[in-house]
C-alpha cells in the first residue's frame, strides 16, 4: 500500500506537457554509411530503441533535461554523449570501428557512466557469457570475473568472495535493492537464479559510501533483464542440459512495451542430481530450484516507475559424506527448503535540471532446514552415509522417492525455521549540474526482523535498523575526472536476549581518473568502509550444523573499519589491451573464528575474536587481437590476494592464485550469426598460506572449450551453445570448498548443451 500511494502521488504531481521526441541516424564515421540495428539508449531514463535498416531511430516520450545517450553496435566503439531534451533537428551519431568489446553502462555507481568514463574501476559481465562458459549456477559463473571467487557447498550453495572477503563483508544487490539472505553464513546461498538477470557488476573494494554497512569488501550488483524497447514484443524459451549432474535448467520469457506501459515475465526450473567427481558421486549435492520474475513499468514525460517481483523456491541437499550413489534429483535428509520473495519499486521524477530517484524494497526469506532426527517415526531413515550403514541403499532411495511423489513433506518438521523480513529504501537527488560538478545527495535505510520457529536457532529473534546519509560529486576537467564523497551511518540492533547495540561510522572516498599517455589511463581510488558485527558473531553459543564446531560469540565485538587504496592502469590500441590492478586493504578490528583447543559435546570450540589485518594483491591481464585478424583473440590474466593478521597469521578462506588463458574466435557468415569458439586453461596454484585451522590445497589445471552462435530457424533466431568444462576429468579440491575438510573432490568433466529460441 505504501508503494502504491507514493507512486500515485508522484503520478498526480506530474505535469502534463507535450511529448519530447529525439530522431537521429547512426552512421560509420569513416565511410558515412548507415549502421542498422544499433542499440540507442538513455541509461538514466532506461529508455531506448534500435536503428532500422537505414540507421534511423526515433525515441518518444522523453522528459526535459540533459541525459547521457549511449549507442552501441558489434564491431564499433561505443558512443556516449550528453543530450539536452527537447532536441531540435536530427541527431547524427557516428561510430568508429573497433575490435574490442562493446562497452556497457555501469549501473552500480551513481552517475551511469561507461567504464571508460568511470572514476571507479567496475567489472562487468553478461550472464549469457558466463553461461556460455559452462557455469551450472550463478555462484559458479561469477568466478569467471577476475578477483571474484565463491565459497561453495557442492553445486547449489555458493557465497561470493571479492579479493579475499566474503559473507557479511560483501553486499549483493538485485532489482536495485539490497539482498538479505542470511549473508553471515557461508552455508547459505544467494537464493537468486540467473534466469531473468542480464548482467553482473562487481565493485572490488570498499563501497560503504554508496551502500552502507556490509559493503566493506565490495558489491555484487545483479542487473535485471531490461524491458522491451517501445512498441516491441519479444518472447523466448530455452533449456540447457548438463551431462555431469544429468541436470536440466529451462526457462521461458515474454516482454512487451507500448508508449507508456511495459511488462515482462520469466519463469525457470532447474533440477540436478549429485555431481560426479570421476570416482564417485557426492551424495546429496542434488538440488531443485523454481524461479519466477515479473515486472511492470510506466513512463511519461516527467515520471517513470517500475515494480518487480521475484519468487525463488529452492530445495537444496546438504552433503555430509559419500554414501548412496544415485542420479535421483530429490534431495535426501538433511536439506534446506528456502523460499525467497523480493518486491521492489523504482521511481524517477524528472525536473527541469534535476531528478529524484526513489527505490523501495521488501524481502521475505523463509528458511527451513530438515534433519534425520526430526523425522517422524512412520518414515524410515532416508539417509545413507558412511556412518549410517544399518539401512539398505535401495530402501533409502525408494523411501525418499515415495516422500517426493506423494508430497509428504508436511509430515516433516523443520529442525530450523527462520523468517527474515527486510524493508529497505534508497532516495537520491541528482542536483542541477553546476559547471563541471555533478552532485548527488541521498539517504538510505533498512528495517530488518528475524524470527525463529524451529527447535534450533541460528541467531536470536532481533530487529536491526540502519540509516545513512551521503553526498557525492563527480568533477569533470579536460584531462581528468575526480570523484569525492562522504557518508554517515547509524545501525542499531535489539534482540530478545537483551542485546542492544548501536554502531556509528563516518566514511569517505576520493578518486581520480586521467590519461597519463596516449592510450593509457590511470585510476587511483582511496576509500573507507565499515561493517557492524552481525548477530551470529555477537550471540553464538552452540554447535553449528554442517561445520562440526561449537561457536561462541562475543557481545563486545567492535565495528570493523577499513581503508583501501586501488590503483588501475590500462593501455589500449587497435592490437592490444593491457591492465594492471593493485590494491592494499587495511582492516581494523577484523572479526575471525579461532579454535581454543577445548571440546564441547565432542565438537571443537571456536571463538569469535578480533585483530587488525591487511589484504593485498591485484589482477594483471592482456587481451591481444591482431589487426586485421580481428576475429582472433588471445586473453590471459593472473589474480592474487594475500590476507594476514597483524600477528603474522594468515586469514582463512583466501583464494589461491590463479592464471587464466583463453583463445577465442568470433565469426559470422550467411548461416550463423554471432558465432564463437574458445579454448580456456585455468591454472590454480597451490594454496599454502593458510590459517591455523586450515590445511594446504594442491594446485590444478582445468581445460575447457566451447562453441555456439545464432541460427535462423523458421524466420526466428535459435541460439546454440555447447561447452565442455574440466575436459581431462581432473580430480581436484578448490581451497574455498566447504567439502575440502572431508577430502571430497569438486565436480569432474561436464558437457553442457544449451538451446534458446527467440520469437
Amino acid at each position: 500500500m505504501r508503494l502504491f500511494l507514493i507512486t500515485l502521488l508522484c503520478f498526480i504531481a506530474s505535469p502534463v506537457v507535450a511529448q519530447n521526441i529525439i530522431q537521429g541516424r547512426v552512421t560509420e564515421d569513416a565511410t558515412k554509411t548507415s549502421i542498422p540495428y544499433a542499440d540507442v539508449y538513455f541509461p538514466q531514463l532506461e529508455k531506448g530503441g534500435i536503428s532500422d535498416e537505414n540507421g534511423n531511430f526515433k525515441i518518444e516520450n522523453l522528459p526535459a533535461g540533459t541525459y547521457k545517450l549511449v549507442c552501441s553496435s558489434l564491431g564499433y566503439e561505443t558512443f556516449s554523449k550528453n543530450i539536452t531534451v527537447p532536441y531540435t533537428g536530427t541527431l547524427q551519431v557516428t561510430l568508429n570501428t573497433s575490435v574490442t568489446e562493446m562497452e556497457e553502462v555501469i549501473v552500480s555507481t551513481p552517475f551511469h557512466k561507461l567504464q571508460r568514463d568511470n572514476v571507479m574501476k567496475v567489472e562487468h559481465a553478461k550472464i549469457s557469457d558466463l553461461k556460455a562458459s559452462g557455469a551450472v549456477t550463478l555462484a559458479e559463473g561469477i568466478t569467471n570475473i577476475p578477483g571474484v571467487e565463491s565459497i561453495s557447498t557442492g553445486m547449489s550453495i555458493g557465497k561470493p568472495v571479492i579479493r579475499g572477503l566474503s559473507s557479511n563483508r560483501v553486499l549483493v544487490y538485485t532489482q536495485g535493492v539490497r539482498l538479505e539472505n542470511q549473508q553471515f553464513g557461508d552455508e547459505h546461498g544467494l537464493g537468486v537464479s540467473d534466469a531473468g538477470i542480464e548482467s553482473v557488476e562487481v565493485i572490488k573494494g570498499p563501497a560503504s559510501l554508496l551502500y552502507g554497512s556490509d559493503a566493506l569488501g565490495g558489491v555484487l550488483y545483479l542487473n535485471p533483464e531490461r524491458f522491451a524497447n517501445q512498441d516491441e514484443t519479444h518472447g523466448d524459451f530455452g533449456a540447457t542440459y548438463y551431462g555431469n549432474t544429468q541436470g536440466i535448467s529451462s526457462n521461458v520469457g515474454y516482454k512487451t512495451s507500448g508508449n507508456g506501459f511495459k511488462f515482462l515475465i520469466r519463469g525457470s526450473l532447474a533440477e540436478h542430481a549429485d555431481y560426479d567427481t570421476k570416482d564417485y558421486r557426492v551424495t546429496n549435492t542434488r538440488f531443485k530450484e523454481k524461479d519466477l520474475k515479473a515486472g511492470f513499468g510506466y513512463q511519461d514525460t516527467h515520471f517513470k516507475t517500475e515494480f518487480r517481483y521475484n519468487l525463488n523456491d529452492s530445495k537444496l541437499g546438504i552433503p555430509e559424506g559419500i554414501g548412496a550413489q544415485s542420479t535421483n534429483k530429490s534431495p535426501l535428509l538433511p536439506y534446506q527448503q528456502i523460499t525467497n520473495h523480493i518486491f521492489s519499486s523504482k521511481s524517477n521524477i524528472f525536473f527541469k535540471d534535476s531528478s529524484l530517484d526513489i527505490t523501495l524494497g521488501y524481502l521475505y526469506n523463509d528458511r527451513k532446514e530438515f534433519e534425520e532426527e526430526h523425522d517422524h517415526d512412520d518414515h524410515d531413515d532416508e539417509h545413507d552415509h558412511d556412518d549410517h550403514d544399518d539401512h539398505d541403499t535401495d530402501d533409502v532411495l525408494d523411501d525418499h522417492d515415495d516422500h517426493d511423489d506423494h508430497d509428504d513433506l508436511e509430515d516433516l518438521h523443520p529442525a530450523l525455521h527462520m523468517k527474515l523480513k527486510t524493508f529497505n529504501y534508497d532516495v537520491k537527488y541528482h542536483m542541477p549540474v553546476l559547471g563541471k560538478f555533478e552532485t548527488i545527495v541521498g539517504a538510505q535505510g533498512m528495517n530488518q526482523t528475524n524470527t525463529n520457529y524451529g527447535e534450533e536457532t541460528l541467531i536470536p529473534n532481533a530487529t536491526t535498523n540502519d540509516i545513512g546519509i551521503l553526498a557525492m560529486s563527480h568533477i569533470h576537467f579536460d584531462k581528468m575526472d575526480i570523484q569525492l564523497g562522504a557518508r554517515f551511518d547509524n545501525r542499531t540492533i535489539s534482540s530478545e536476549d537483551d542485546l542492544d547495540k548501536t554502531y556509528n561510522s563516518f566514511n569517505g572516498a576520493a578518486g581520480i581518473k586521467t590519461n597519463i599517455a596516449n592510450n593509457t589511463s590511470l585510476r587511483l581510488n582511496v576509500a573507507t568502509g565499515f561493517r557492524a558485527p552481525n548477530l551470529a558473531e555477537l550471540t553464538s553459543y552452540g554447535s553449528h550444523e554442517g561445520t562440526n564446531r561449537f561457536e561462541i560469540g562475543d557481545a563486545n565485538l567492535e565495528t570493523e573499519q577499513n581503508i583501501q587504496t586501488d590503483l588501475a592502469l590500462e593501455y589500449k590500441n587497435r592490437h592490444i589491451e593491457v591492465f594492471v590492478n593493485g590494491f592494499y586493504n587495511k582492516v581494523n578490528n577484523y572479526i575471525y573464528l579461532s579454535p581454543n583447543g577445548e571440546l564441547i559435546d565432542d565438537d571443537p570450540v571456536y571463538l569469535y575474536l578480533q585483530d587488525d589485518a591487511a589484504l593485498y594483491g591485484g589482477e594483471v591481464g592482456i587481451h591481444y587481437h591482431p589487426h586485421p585478424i580481428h576475429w582472433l583473440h588471445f586473453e590471459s590474466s593472473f589474480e592474487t590476494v594475500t590476507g594476514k593478521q597483524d600477528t603474522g597469521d594468515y586469514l582463512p578462506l583466501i583464494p589461491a592464485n590463479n592464471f587464466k588463458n583463453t583463445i577465442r574466435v568470433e565469426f559470422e557468415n550467411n548461416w550463423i550469426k554471432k558465432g564463437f569458439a574458445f579454448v580456456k586453461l585455468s591454472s590454480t596454484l597451490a594454496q599454502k598460506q593458510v590459517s591455523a585451522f586450515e590445511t594446504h590445497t594442491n594446485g590444478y589445471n582445468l581445460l575447457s572449450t566451447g562453441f555456439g552462435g545464432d541460427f535462423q530457424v523458421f524466420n526466428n533466431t535459435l541460439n546454440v551453445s555447447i561447452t565442455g568444462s574440466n575436459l581431462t576429468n581432473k580430480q581436484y579440491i578448490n581451497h574455498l570448498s566447504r567439502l575440502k575438510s572431508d577430502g571430497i573432490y569438486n565436480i569432474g568433466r561436464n558437457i553442457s548443451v544449451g538451446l534458446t529460441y527467440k520469437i
Side-chain angles (χ1 to χ4, degrees), residues 165-287:
L165 296 177
S166 60
S167 296
N168 269 109
R169 299 181 180 96
V170 171
L171 201 56
V172 180
Y173 260 64
T174 183
Q175 296 177 195
V177 299
R178 176 183 178 126
L179 178 64
E180 291 291 314
N181 187 9
Q182 280 78 62
Q183 294 290 91
F184 56 84
D186 55 13
E187 73 279 18
H188 306 300
L190 293 177
V192 177
S193 168
D194 58 20
I197 295 177
E198 188 163 295
S199 62
V200 56
E201 297 173 12
V202 181
I203 300 176
K204 296 184 292 188
S208 293
L209 174 65
L210 299 175
Y211 298 105
S213 179
D214 300 358
L216 175 143
V219 173
L220 187 73
Y221 198 96
L222 307 176
N223 291 312
E225 181 178 1
R226 277 166 54 174
F227 288 98
N229 288 325
Q230 182 177 317
D231 300 324
E232 293 184 6
T233 297
H234 302 283
D236 65 82
F237 58 90
T240 303
Y241 176 76
Y242 303 90
N244 184 286
T245 62
Q246 298 186 19
I248 189 167
S249 65
S250 57
N251 78 89
V252 58
Y254 171 84
K255 55 185 176 181
T256 184
S257 293
N259 187 35
F261 292 95
K262 46 192 176 182
F263 171 77
L264 61 78
I265 188 169
R266 182 168 300 278
S268 66
L269 174 67
E271 294 186 329
H272 292 268
D274 298 337
Y275 75 79
D276 189 7
T277 66
K278 181 180 178 182
D279 286 347
Y280 52 81
R281 290 189 179 273
V282 182
T283 308
N284 212 25
T285 53
R286 62 194 75 172
F287 65 96

Side-chain angles (χ1 to χ4, degrees), residues 512-527:
I512 182 173
K513 186 261 179 183
T514 185
N515 295 325
I516 57 175
N518 289 337
N519 303 321
T520 304
S521 65
L522 175 146
R523 290 181 175 88
L524 177 63
N525 284 272
V526 179

Side-chain angles (χ1 to χ4, degrees), residues 147-151 159-171 202-207 214-219 529 531 560-564 583-587 590-591 613-616 641-644 651-655 736:
V148 182
E149 293 293 337
S150 178
I151 297 174
K159 302 288 286 189
V161 179
I162 299 178
R163 287 177 168 175
L165 296 177
S166 60
S167 296
N168 269 109
R169 299 181 180 96
V170 171
L171 201 56
V202 181
I203 300 176
K204 296 184 292 188
D214 300 358
L216 175 143
V219 173
R531 182 181 75 90
E560 292 184 343
Q561 190 78 43
N562 78 329
I563 180 169
Q564 178 168 315
F583 74 95
Y584 184 86
N585 187 5
K586 177 65 176 177
V587 185
Y590 185 92
I591 301 172
L615 298 97
Y616 51 90
V641 59
T642 299
K644 298 182 72 173
L651 296 178
L653 298 174
I654 299 298
L736 299 185

Side-chain angles (χ1 to χ4, degrees), residues 372-391:
E372 286 182 21
E373 56 269 31
H374 295 274
D375 194 5
H376 283 209
D377 294 337
D378 57 340
H379 297 284
D380 293 333
D381 190 349
E382 295 184 335
H383 209 75
D384 186 26
H385 288 302
D386 292 339
D387 55 347
H388 294 79
D389 296 331
D390 55 334
H391 300 281

Side-chain angles (χ1 to χ4, degrees), residues 218 307 339 411 474 477 511 614 690:
F307 299 89
T339 304
D411 294 332
H474 189 108
F477 296 99
V690 296

